[in-house]
Amino acid sequence: MEITTQEFKHGDLVAVKGRVDSATAPDFTKALEKINEAGRFKIAVDMSELEYMSSAGFRALLASQRNCKKYNRGELVLVKVPERIREALELAGFTELFKTFDDPIEAVGNF
Amino acid sequence: MPKITYPAKFEFLDEIRDFVAEVARQGGFSDKEIYSLQLAADEAASNIIEHAYEGIPDASLDITCTMQGDTIVITMRDEGISFDPSKVKQPNLKAKLSERQIGGLGVYLMRKLMDDVRYESVGKSNTLTMIKRRA
């Protein structure tokens, strides 16, 4: 798993690449928490190069979404969700908890 | 039956997923099905590592993965605390964000992705068997 974070005026773009499972999810969580700790709560997660995500990754997204949406201060959205991962998110009933976008710039511009 | 023993550590989930994918590929499963099988195996192994072996260092789990006709059979055996997935409450998938359960999701996915999930505990040994027929 590899994470790169870019800070924009309206929000942060987090690109997560490779595989998120129980071994790597804690680092994914830390990357998302770090943004919140800096007082920023508008996050777009770019999944275009994500190969795999287990429920450990779903939990990280859920925890971050809760934190971002608290006091209506922000939101976490998903960008370019690969088909297999979208199917698993749907199975877990997670798709309705996150807005999705096809373009990272559009996602960040939405904030 | 070929059996591979893995250390009960999250760092080995990659290898476990690769093992299942290899058998499934040779067994003629599609890429979509292979992803599902890898996810189910990952969730099962993660639960064993996290719950059955909670606080127990240097534990291991034995995994077998074989084709029986057009059906893949994955078994995972551990000697940890008995953790029966059928006893795990199904998460409420319609709950609001603030009320979503963090736990139980892995087991729910395993059941949804596989045709059958069985659990047997005999003495110290727990065996999880997951079955899926090729589409």
Side-chain angles (χ1 to χ4, degrees), chain A residues 8 10-11 19-20 22 37 42 47 66 76 96-97 108:
Chain A
F8 291 92
H10 296 286
R19 294 177 290 271
V20 179
S22 299
E37 280 159 15
K42 291 169 182 169
M47 295 183 160
R66 274 188 189 148
L76 182 147
E96 66 203 56
L97 300 177
V108 176

Side-chain angles (χ1 to χ4, degrees), chain B residues 33-99:
Chain B
E33 290 173 309
I34 291 170
Y35 187 92
S36 298
L37 292 166
Q38 286 184 299
L39 183 55
D42 176 322
E43 300 294 348
S46 293
N47 271 334
I48 291 169
I49 297 165
E50 195 173 343
H51 300 296
Y53 284 134
E54 189 183 358
I56 303 170
D58 304 323
S60 62
L61 66 156
D62 298 333
I63 302 184
T64 68
C65 185
T66 52
M67 287 300 297
Q68 292 179 14
D70 59 359
T71 301
I72 193 165
V73 182
I74 306 167
T75 73
M76 296 191 186
R77 199 186 66 83
D78 69 78
E79 293 188 345
I81 301 154
S82 173
F83 177 78
D84 186 346
S86 66
K87 301 263 159 59
V88 176
K89 229 177 109 187
Q90 185 177 316
N92 180 1
L93 305 183
K94 299 267 181 254
K96 286 189 299 183
L97 178 68
S98 58
E99 287 155 14

Side-chain angles (χ1 to χ4, degrees), chain A residues 47 50-55 58 61 78 80-96 100, chain B residues 30-40 43 93 105 108-110 112-113 132:
Chain A
M47 295 183 160
L50 187 63
E51 294 161 25
Y52 176 85
M53 185 177 260
S54 74
S55 70
F58 297 177
L61 290 173
L78 308 178
K80 284 183 177 287
V81 186
E83 194 188 346
R84 306 269 177 266
I85 294 166
R86 186 180 46 75
E87 285 165 356
L89 283 167
E90 257 172 37
L91 207 54
F94 268 43
T95 36
E96 66 203 56
T100 56
Chain B
S30 69
D31 286 348
K32 179 182 157 77
E33 290 173 309
I34 291 170
Y35 187 92
S36 298
L37 292 166
Q38 286 184 299
L39 183 55
E43 300 294 348
L93 305 183
L105 201 56
Y108 174 79
L109 287 175
M110 276 160 58
K112 284 296 235 187
L113 296 166
K132 188 164 178 76

